[in-house]
Amino acid sequence: MSQENNKACNHTDGQNDKYVPPKVWTQDKENGGKFASINRPTAGARYEKALPVGDAPLQLYSLNTPNGVKVNILLEELAEIGVKGAKYDAYKIDISQGEQFGSGFVAINPNSKIPALVDHSADIAGEPIALF
Ligand SMILES: N[C@@H](CCC(=O)N[C@@H](CS)C(=O)NCC(=O)O)C(=O)O
């Protein structure tokens, strides 16, 4: 890694020096904005909801946001050049309705962010691999 890159990755360097996160997060005021208002200083599922699972090796849970479509674009490009292992089923996770906080989604991405993908063609200790 170059010295310049090393500096850019060093989070104790520069503007974040003075920030000390609290031991316990509390929400003392409402956030503004459509998406900021759904954020909380906690993580984890907010309600029980299993995710659908289809027959394709890859199961994609996402939405057509600029971040969300990137995985679809990659998988479509791979299909175009004949990569059989890139076959996928896609499911909509409507982040404006809080679907990223359902228990099934949180189990594959504790960050509650789309896109998330589960690879059923690979496994670690008998479990499919979740990527996010
Ligand atoms: N680099 C980010 C991009 C994902 C991201 O920010 N997704 C947004 C939508 S584009 C999201 O899921 N937001 C829902 C939320 O914050 O509750 C990640 O993968 O963690």
Side-chain angles (χ1 to χ4, degrees):
M1 184 180 281
S2 75
Q3 211 167 9
E4 192 147 294
N5 277 342
N6 197 23
K7 220 184 242 173
C9 295
N10 184 353
H11 296 291
T12 60
D13 198 14
Q15 66 182 25
N16 293 328
D17 278 354
K18 294 179 193 82
Y19 180 69
V20 180
K23 279 209 165 33
V24 177
W25 289 93
T26 55
Q27 185 166 11
D28 53 1
K29 56 182 180 239
E30 286 304 312
N31 294 329
K34 188 175 172 189
F35 289 107
S37 63
I38 57 180
N39 288 321
R40 296 285 178 276
T42 56
R46 297 185 190 168
Y47 60 94
E48 287 294 329
K49 189 178 180 198
L51 290 174
V53 182
D55 296 329
L58 304 178
Q59 300 293 302
L60 174 62
Y61 305 94
S62 194
L63 187 69
N64 60 342
T65 67
N67 279 322
V69 295
K70 287 171 187 162
V71 181
N72 300 70
I73 293 169
L74 171 67
L75 294 175
E76 291 297 329
E77 292 290 334
L78 290 173
E80 196 62 31
I81 59 168
V83 177
K84 300 268 181 290
K87 283 205 165 69
Y88 69 105
D89 296 311
Y91 302 95
K92 180 175 165 184
I93 299 294
D94 190 342
I95 59 175
S96 71
Q97 299 301 308
E99 291 181 4
Q100 69 275 37
F101 302 112
S103 56
F105 190 82
V106 172
I108 62 166
N109 184 0
N111 244 352
S112 287
K113 303 281 181 199
I114 58 100
L117 179 93
V118 181
D119 183 353
H120 289 266
S121 68
D123 71 77
I124 295 177
E127 292 293 318
I129 296 172
L131 302 162
F132 56 90

